[in-house]
Amino acid sequence: MAGEEDDDNSWVIELEAALLEECTPSEVWSMAQGRTIPETIRPEVWQACLGVQKKESPLLHFSEIFDLPDQSALRTDCQQAVSKLGNEDEDKVSVISDLESILTCYCKSTKNKFEKGNGWIEILLPLLSLKLPRAETYNLFDSIVHQYIPRGCKKNGLPFHLFRLLLQYHDPELCSFLDTKRVSPDLYCLPWFQSLFASNCHLPALLTMWDHYFQLADPFFIFFLALVMLVNARDQILSMKDDAKATVVDALSMMPCDIAADDTSDFCTLAQYYASKTPASFRSELIDAFFGTEPPIPCEKLGISQALCLPISAHDLVFNPELPEGENVKFFLVDCRPAEQYNGGHLPTAFHLDCNLMLQEPATFATAVQGLLAVQQQALASNSVAGGDHLCFLGSGREEEDQYTHMVVASFLQKHTTCVSMVAGGYSAIHQLVEENPVIKLDDHNPQICIGCRETHNVEEMTNSMQTSTSSYELFGKLSAAMKSKSAEVKEKLFEYIVNPTGSNGQAAERHVRSSDKVGKRYRNMAPVFSIDDEDGDASSIHSLEDEGDQEVVAIQTWLKKPDVVKSFKCHEVKMNGYMYESYLIVTESHIYVLRDIQGRKGFANIAVRRPVSSIVRITSKKKHPDLITFKYGIADGDKPIISDMDRFLIPEAAEATKVISQQIMKQLNVQVASQK
């Protein structure tokens, strides 16, 4: 038995020898393999993994002058944090001194400002338990903050938009549940990300977790640890459907407290597994934004908050690396472009699913989806090069067509399909990659009808050369450009309006409500502005004003039989994120209502929309999809209606619905005109 124990500990002896020669994190990993590091060598191992073995510390030159503008607040926070520890009073004084000295020196050296609750104190406390000299503790702290704490850890910050996309990728049902509860990741993940779980984990579990973390040397590992935290507790979370939002947030926030030291190894190993099953495009695109030294990139430029699903770069799709069995991500490519574009050229492994069928022929579309899933399973079973369990959707890269691609993707997400992504930049990005890499071939490529060739020809006429991508932030930007508005000025939106039609050139321009606009008698001395257009105007920067509180639950039949109901229509409500909900559109003389069916409660619905008909200034539809109707609300201002909000519906009886609503609008207009005489 003793011999076996010696064999088991041989890696420790090997590691101790390597530490004498300034080993790298990868060398530490090759020996320790993520195992818990013995306390006797943990400080040296962490210093090696964090690259600070022989680094000179700024603390050695610290003037010991404590005169920061917020020095008093910093000292108070240090005292409050230490008061919760079980140390002797004498030890507490020493810990407070260490905390304040290190943080004051750090603020002065890096020009960073201390903010209450920013996670710095929580990171330092475990480091102080290593009993290193103060200067060496400073170096560990400085390295952890710069290498592993994502920039933008604040309310609605970039890291939490990415985390939501990763959660949606692996568990769309859980993500949808939290979205429905309006529980955004920053509400519970913020302290996790700011402190690498130090604010919530017990010390023994945290030290073991950090052993694994620093050996792995993956700055994005925090995202997958947080992901596993939620996925492991998914049944508990989903059972909280009747709990208040605050209760859900509190339960999520405290989950790291349940991690025991003995469970940490499995916890980290599972996080590594999820990382290996996630497309890596986001890493290269966001590494500088999250962990770089340059000024942070604005959230609006990266477009993460507008992304419908996880974006995949054209390069990563085409040159998907062959990794050891079980470690690589294999895509099943779904080309959603119209048939004529697909026939002009496509990747050899692409399965064609015409997105236009979703609105034009729903039954045919449903059959095509079933065929797609069957082909996917067959390709996986036969180990075909086209097989993959990760669905990757490809649009044209042009806004006009891709608005319907987004609806298709949203339909898969709404069915809780896992591992759904989109190619950033669509076919245009693929075509550019083909031009730059002749080894890549397109099937059935016809330059005369290929939109990529036509676009390239137009660009060459203007620039005489194909421009290559120069920004490391274009991945999310390309996907965002096809989904968000041209102005992109509307704040606090999780999703941009996905079904975003482009207005015709001849249509009157529309502007949005300003605080200076007068609200009053809309139709005085002016012609009616109600119209039914062939094309939608630019609704790009309009967002839903749906009540943030709980929606009223009603019995559907009771409402349909109300005496003031003029007409009702079965429809699908199309939301800003592309999701569609079975609903009823109810028209009364004064209002329109939308009753959204409640899943699992047959005969009951939420009142999702409640609008006065007098607020409707325009009803629009698409020539190709006349059943997709948009109601725009606002103030009539001559030929330029001021649009403040909008709703969109897929109505089989669209013509009858618009006729009935237009009649009610005219009645309201006549009433207003009569009252003004």
Side-chain angles (χ1 to χ4, degrees), residues 6 20 33 51 87 149 196 210 349 368 425 451 453 502 512 515 530 553 573 593 597 600 615 621 647-648 652-653:
D6 289 342
L20 298 175
Q33 294 291 311
N87 304 51
I149 307 301
L196 293 189
W210 282 8
T349 58
I451 61 168
C453 290
T502 304
H512 309 307
S515 59
F530 170 78
V553 178
E573 180 190 7
Y593 300 88
D597 288 354
S615 66
S621 66
D647 291 311
R648 177 160 290 179
E653 300 178 80

Side-chain angles (χ1 to χ4, degrees), residues 169-170 224 271-279 325-330 389-390 419:
Y169 191 81
H170 290 287
F224 297 100
Q272 277 186 265
Y273 170 80
Y274 274 95
S276 71
K277 293 298 182 181
T278 304
E325 185 66 27
E327 293 185 15
N328 60 317
V329 172
K330 297 188 68 176
D389 49 4
H390 296 253
C419 301

Side-chain angles (χ1 to χ4, degrees), residues 60 76 111 508 582:
L60 297 174
T76 299
K111 309 301 182 185
E582 291 188 7

Side-chain angles (χ1 to χ4, degrees), residues 60 76 91 121 145 172 181 284 291 371 389 396 450 503 561:
L60 297 174
T76 299
D91 291 337
I121 293 176
V145 170
K181 284 287 187 181
S284 58
F291 305 103
D389 49 4
S396 67
C450 171
K561 295 177 182 178

Side-chain angles (χ1 to χ4, degrees), residues 399 481 483-489 496 500-503 538-541:
E399 185 176 355
M483 300 166 59
K484 65 180 182 178
S485 66
K486 295 176 181 177
S487 61
E489 294 173 352
E496 278 289 350
N500 179 20
T502 304
D538 184 7
S540 54
S541 60

